[in-house]
Amino acid sequence: DIQMTQSPSTLSASVGDRVSITCRASQNIRNWLAWYQQKPDKAPKVLIYKASSLESGVSSRFSGSGSGTEFTLTISSLQPDDFATYYCQQYLSYPSFGQGTKLEI
Amino acid sequence: QITLKESGPTLVKPTQTLTLTCTFSGFSLSSTQVGVGWIRQPPGKALEWLALIYWDDYKRYSPSLQSRLTITKDTSKNQVVLTMTNIDPVDTAIYYCVHRRNECCNTWDAAYFDYWGQGTLVTVSS
């Protein structure tokens, strides 16, 4: 199994800040990585796929980078709607998710 | 427009078998490359992928739960059914039905998910 580890678990920020969330894979997953946003009592929504490709309809304030074992999701200029929990997911093989990063005000 | 909706019991007793149904629209599970799966999320915890079924009836299961899971499809009804045997309180979770992004990946084991159902909370308790 490929283990995914996110850091930090919780991130406090303010509207207008630029923030980054890190995701590490237990083995080389090349660029087979997706990022999701989940709001309370809602299903996750995909933001980024293939590590850095922006899903259609997603704000360009979201960007992804990295390859191999270390990846980053960056949100530029935080908006109130961005406060949520974020998950990374590898898809080199059977899907597995990180434990989540809660972005709070 | 793709939509998926889960249905099934909200309360299940330990050792019973859980059966969940996903009813979808906006695509056909008889079209090449299409896959539908299940993911769960215990309250306040992370997401866990469970199973996938493809247009050609190819099935993939989480290695840790494989012995307890069965996924089937009814193409004529636009439904996918997940059964989980020998249910335990640790199986309490929101269960999501998901659509695998077509042509996303390098193997059929792999997937990421572009459409999700609203989820259904299943509580396991005596």
Side-chain angles (χ1 to χ4, degrees), chain B residues 19-53:
Chain B
T19 299
L20 295 171
T21 300
C22 172
T23 304
F24 57 84
S25 64
F27 66 95
S28 172
L29 201 36
S30 59
S31 298
T32 305
Q33 303 268 344
V34 174
V36 173
W38 290 89
I39 288 170
R40 70 179 180 179
Q41 184 174 37
K45 296 188 178 181
L47 300 156
E48 179 183 23
W49 170 73
L50 301 177
L52 262 175
I53 188 166

Side-chain angles (χ1 to χ4, degrees), chain A residues 27-68:
Chain A
Q27 66 185 72
N28 185 354
I29 59 169
R30 303 202 288 275
N31 61 350
W32 299 111
L33 187 96
W35 288 98
Y36 299 85
Q37 176 193 65
Q38 186 177 32
K39 296 181 180 178
D41 299 320
K42 298 291 185 185
K45 168 190 169 184
V46 64
L47 303 173
I48 301 283
Y49 63 95
K50 223 166 182 184
S52 60
S53 296
L54 192 66
E55 178 75 2
S56 175
V58 173
S59 170
S60 58
R61 294 182 293 98
F62 293 91
S63 63
S65 63
S67 66

